């Protein structure tokens, strides 16, 4: 549990095989009331106080609420004083541009989103904008055109794309992302035949980005988010990333971020701490920075 006397934010973790790459580890979202019941926050912690408490333990978070509703600049400005000066944010692109696309209105939504996150961008705290595309977004001519136009409309922002459909796992796709300096998100998810596979491809030398969704195949098929993301990684499962995949990616990028999305019963912060511990162990006792 985080106490009121907790120390300042856990800094990023240097990797011994790639000391120039600081990796930040956090969770996808932080304002879950059930995390108080699970012991991560003190009992009765109101949502408005969760970010400051979260930031005492992690140095980065992924804003998931911006997928449900368009971000507002005033709300972003209010978040900044609650976290340390080196705390970073990733912001998920709003669903009206990924899952519920209005063919006539999405360009206006892109302008609104850019305006909403402007305080984070101007403060140098926006590490990435996550464009998470649904499993139904397979690679075809229409979707290829839409994605190209969307990336054009959001140019200038630090962009990352997470594909869910495996038809995008092709060299020409990676080449195009690399040409645009857009990050391909690496995922850990259930091994289902239609999902994008687990890869260590780095398309942007500025940033690599990893999302851990859990491996609950039965829950993933249920359509229930509580079941879909109900999973606790074991140490052995995380060591595959900390000892092999992350070092490979870190050697090809200047920095990296990793988020756990298995939020049910505060399993995400528990696994984030396990991964940081594993990475720190591998750093052979070198100081954090």
């Amino acid at each position: 549990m985080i106490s009121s006397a907790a120390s300042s934010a856990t800094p990023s973790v240097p990797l011994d095989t790639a000391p120039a790459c600081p990796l930040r580890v956090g969770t996808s979202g932080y304002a879950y009331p059930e995390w108080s019941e699970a012991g991560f926050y003190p009992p009765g912690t109101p949502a408005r106080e969760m970010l400051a408490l979260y930031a005492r333990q992690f140095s980065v978070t992924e804003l998931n609420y911006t997928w449900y509703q368009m971000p507002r600049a005033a709300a972003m400005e209010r978040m900044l004083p609650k976290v340390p000066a080196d705390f970073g944010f990733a912001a998920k692109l709003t669903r009206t541009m990924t899952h519920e696309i209005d063919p006539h209105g999405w360009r206006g939504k892109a302008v609104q989103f850019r305006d909403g996150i402007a305080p984070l961008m101007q403060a140098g705290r926006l590490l990435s904008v996550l464009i998470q595309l649904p499993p139904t977004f397979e690679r075809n001519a229409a979707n290829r055109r839409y994605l190209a136009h969307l990336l054009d409309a959001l140019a200038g922002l630090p962009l990352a794309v997470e594909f869910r459909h495996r038809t995008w796992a092709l060299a020409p796709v990676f080449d195009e992302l690399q040409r645009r300096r857009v990050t391909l998100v690496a995922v850990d998810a259930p091994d289902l035949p239609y999902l994008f596979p687990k890869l260590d491809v780095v398309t942007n030398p500025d940033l690599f980005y990893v999302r851990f969704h859990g491996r609950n195949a039965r829950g993933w098929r249920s359509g229930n988010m509580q079941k879909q993301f109900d999973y606790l990684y074991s140490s052995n499962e995380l060591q595959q990333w900390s000892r092999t995949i992350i070092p490979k990616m870190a050697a090809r990028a200047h920095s990296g971020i990793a988020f756990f999305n298995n939020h049910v019963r505060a399993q995400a912060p528990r696994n984030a701490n396990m991964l940081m511990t594993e990475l720190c162990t591998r750093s052979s006792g070198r100081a954090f920075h």
Side-chain angles (χ1 to χ4, degrees), residues 92-202:
K92 195 171 181 180
L93 192 68
T94 311
R95 57 185 170 180
T96 50
M97 289 169 277
T98 56
H99 292 61
E100 301 166 7
I101 303 167
D102 176 357
H104 305 293
W106 71 265
R107 290 182 184 277
K109 301 293 184 183
V111 173
Q112 290 180 40
F113 186 90
R114 187 188 290 271
D115 291 343
I117 61 169
L120 298 183
M121 190 71 178
Q122 292 164 0
R125 313 286 280 281
L126 182 66
L127 303 180
S128 188
V129 171
L130 170 64
I131 303 171
Q132 189 250 296
L133 298 163
T136 54
F137 193 85
E138 61 182 303
R139 187 172 183 266
N140 58 39
N143 287 341
R144 289 171 61 193
R145 281 195 299 273
Y146 174 73
L147 181 56
H149 291 321
L150 181 63
L151 294 177
D152 288 343
L154 297 172
L157 297 173
L159 302 177
V161 176
E162 178 186 351
F163 296 108
R164 289 283 171 89
H165 200 283
R166 65 181 309 113
T167 52
W168 295 92
L170 296 172
V173 175
F174 306 151
D175 291 344
E176 177 61 12
L177 293 178
Q178 185 172 24
R179 186 187 72 79
R180 291 174 175 266
R181 223 175 173 89
V182 170
T183 296
L184 173 71
V185 176
V187 293
D188 188 290
D191 186 18
L192 296 175
Y194 59 90
L195 289 180
F196 196 82
K198 183 192 306 178
L199 299 174
D200 59 7
V201 175
V202 173

